[in-house]
């Protein structure tokens, strides 16, 4: 993988074979379980009594409100308590983000950050700036979680047309000038392909839970799994040499 700006840029030769789109992209995020148990999520600065069982201590969180600004994991202090949706169990997690090109569903970049309410949008802008720095007009597809006025404005300032899913019962950040085009509908259909990336990395790539402590190591492992996904995808796309 070629290096640019301290981060790996891949797929290494997908562009050479004409496999990558230069105009249409998708961004999405998911959660990866941290290498830490919620039992290690304790109040900052509070002296803890010795555990009854060092290997599997008994912990009672009844009546205690656990928050990322007041608690942290003693196993991996960079993990953050997060949940995948309403009604879902909160776990210590990292946020994993993927930037995908829309022609063949290849990964342009993956990035691991701390989980937060703004992590997906911040990571999307970082990946765009590192790999698609506004030299050509492009489209970026994303789900409803990216539908904010600030994010749409940031995309437009980067010469990026936002093909973002619309929020119901809320004043939209994009209007008919974008949504009336057939390309918007096509983008919304293709963006589902990014879930194939996360599905493969979490099952075949065994990245549902990181085996490393800390964001930097988890990010490096994520890029290795992403490279493996691209190699497998490219092998299916390229003709077999005879």
């Amino acid at each position: 993988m070629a290096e640019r700006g301290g981060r790996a840029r891949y797929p290494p030769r997908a562009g050479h074979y004409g496999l990558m789109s230069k105009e249409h992209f998708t961004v999405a995020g998911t959660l990866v379980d941290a290498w830490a148990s919620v039992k290690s999520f304790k109040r900052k600065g509070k002296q803890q009594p010795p555990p009854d069982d060092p290997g599997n201590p008994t912990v009672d969180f009844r009546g205690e409100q656990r928050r990322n600004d007041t608690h942290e994991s003693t196993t991996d202090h960079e993990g953050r308590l997060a949940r995948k949706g309403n009604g879902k169990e909160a776990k210590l997690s990292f946020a994993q983000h993927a930037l995908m090109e829309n022609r063949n569903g290849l990964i342009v970049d993956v990035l691991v950050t701390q989980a937060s309410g703004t992590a997906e949008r911040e990571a999307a802008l970082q990946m765009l700036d590192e790999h698609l720095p506004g030299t050509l007009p492009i489209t970026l597809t994303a789900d409803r979680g990216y539908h904010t006025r600030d994010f749409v404005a940031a995309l437009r300032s980067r010469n990026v047309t936002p093909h973002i899913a619309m929020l119901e019962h809320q004043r939209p950040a994009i209007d008919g000038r974008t949504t009336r085009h057939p390309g918007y509908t096509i983008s919304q259909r293709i963006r589902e392909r990014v879930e194939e990336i996360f599905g493969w990395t979490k099952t075949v790539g065994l990245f549902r839970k990181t085996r490393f402590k800390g964001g930097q190591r988890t990010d490096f492992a994520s890029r290795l799994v992403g490279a493996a996904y691209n190699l497998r995808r490219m092998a299916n796309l390229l003709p077999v040499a005879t």
Side-chain angles (χ1 to χ4, degrees), residues 222-239:
S222 174
R223 286 186 278 141
L224 290 179
V225 174
Y229 176 86
N230 272 344
L231 290 174
R232 168 257 186 190
R233 183 85 181 119
M234 290 168 63
N236 292 335
L237 293 168
L238 292 172

Side-chain angles (χ1 to χ4, degrees), residues 105-155:
L106 289 166
I107 301 172
V108 178
D109 192 18
V110 286
L111 177 65
V112 168
T113 67
Q114 288 187 324
S116 73
T118 60
E120 289 186 333
R121 297 185 292 275
E122 292 169 354
L125 296 177
Q126 179 180 338
M127 291 187 291
L128 285 173
D129 290 341
E130 290 181 356
H131 298 279
L132 307 168
T135 54
L136 295 172
I138 63 173
T139 67
L140 185 72
T141 309
D143 63 28
R144 294 180 178 87
Y146 295 81
H147 195 121
T148 68
R149 292 189 175 278
D150 289 344
F151 184 69
V152 168
L155 292 184

Side-chain angles (χ1 to χ4, degrees), residues 43 61-67 70-71:
R43 184 172 293 277
F61 293 115
R62 185 175 302 174
E64 180 180 0
Q65 186 178 17
R66 292 174 294 167
R67 299 166 55 93
T70 58
H71 291 63

